[in-house]
Amino acid sequence: MEFGQESAKLVDNLRYQGIGKKVLDAMLLVPRHLFVPTQLRGEAYIDTPLPIGYNQTISAPHMVAIMCDLLDLGEGQNVLEVGTGSGYNAAVMAELVGRTGHVYSVERIAPLAGFAKNNLMDAGCANVTVMLEDGSGGDFPHSPYDRICVTCAAPEIPQPLIEQLKPGGLMVIPVGVASQQLYLVKKDADGTIHKEIKGGVVFVPLVGRFGFSDD
Ligand code: SAM
């Protein structure tokens, strides 16, 4: 594979950071260079966020790995992503849920939704649906979800997203105004919610009805 050696080296570094095997295997199968602007392809396997236009970024590979690891994604799951961006994180999650699972990914910036759809098609990723809307309130037609992955930072955890998580479900979401923390939210079988802070992060803002205002 083009860039195969660079991809293997990147994934090897993530292995030493404690990322689980199923996430590493999925990342080896998704060609990140197909999800960055053409002029940045040479930097696709450096562990850093990269600009994708419209003041947005494709997240750093280690952040994708950490979020996917925390979500404990598996075959057949129904997943919501808020913040499609380039489509890369959606593609990695799609590998993890397999052909019997599906990723519904919501993006609010139309040209980025188009960019992601093209990238996903070029990468041969068939089990992701990209939708153009404000995802801060979730995506009701396909809910409830086994897993929810929010890839932009919210001022607080939006209640509609908690409501659209299945009992037994997991959500990861960066939260914060001045500084941000990554939260893992668990919904028990009886609906009880548990929130754990997993560390400091830096994400672009979730903009929308249950996020920050657009000004
Ligand atoms: N997951 C992406 C990837 O793999 O490239 C990276 C996402 S980027 C860090 C965050 C994205 O969230 C941006 O594309 C931004 O436009 C989007 N976003 C922000 N607020 C949103 C909202 N309310 N609904 C949907 N997308 C939103």
Side-chain angles (χ1 to χ4, degrees):
M1 181 175 91
E2 199 190 356
F3 296 108
Q5 277 186 343
E6 286 94 329
S7 171
K9 201 171 152 194
L10 171 71
V11 168
D12 238 20
N13 283 333
L14 295 174
R15 192 184 319 277
Y16 297 124
Q17 293 173 39
I19 301 299
K21 183 177 178 331
K22 67 180 178 179
V23 172
L24 300 175
D25 288 348
M27 290 182 78
L28 275 177
L29 291 173
V30 180
R32 190 171 186 254
H33 63 275
L34 296 185
F35 292 86
V36 302
T38 317
Q39 69 276 17
L40 295 177
R41 283 193 171 175
E43 295 170 47
Y45 297 97
I46 301 171
D47 193 3
T48 185
L50 292 169
I52 53 173
Y54 310 92
N55 291 323
Q56 307 301 326
T57 54
I58 173 174
S59 302
H62 73 269
M63 192 46 64
V64 171
I66 288 169
M67 291 179 111
C68 288
D69 220 33
L70 288 172
L71 282 172
D72 189 24
L73 292 150
E75 186 73 37
Q77 288 175 342
N78 184 38
V79 179
L80 173 69
E81 179 185 44
V82 180
T84 316
S86 68
Y88 175 72
N89 185 56
V92 174
M93 294 197 295
E95 277 297 335
L96 286 159
V97 300
R99 286 189 190 165
T100 58
H102 204 92
V103 178
Y104 294 94
S105 186
V106 189
E107 174 54 57
R108 63 180 283 274
I109 299 176
L112 286 181
F115 177 61
K117 280 183 193 173
N118 285 337
N119 296 342
L120 288 159
M121 202 163 40
D122 290 349
C125 186
N127 55 340
V128 177
T129 303
V130 176
M131 292 160 302
L132 179 65
E133 58 187 274
D134 170 12
S136 66
D139 169 53
F140 294 96
H142 305 102
S143 74
Y145 298 96
D146 297 295
R147 301 289 186 261
I148 298 178
C149 185
V150 183
T151 66
C152 35
E156 54 192 50
I157 303 172
Q159 187 58 30
L161 294 185
I162 292 177
E163 284 163 12
Q164 289 176 66
L165 201 54
K166 273 187 197 168
L170 297 174
M171 165 164 58
V172 285
I173 177 166
V175 179
V177 179
S179 66
Q180 304 166 5
Q181 307 282 349
L182 185 64
Y183 276 73
L184 175 64
V185 180
K186 298 183 187 180
K187 186 183 267 189
D188 279 351
D190 67 1
T192 309
I193 300 297
H194 304 270
K195 298 171 192 171
E196 284 173 45
I197 293 179
K198 293 295 182 181
V201 287
V202 181
F203 275 85
V204 296
L206 173 79
V207 175
R209 191 160 162 237
F210 294 91
F212 292 95
S213 65
D214 190 12
D215 47 30

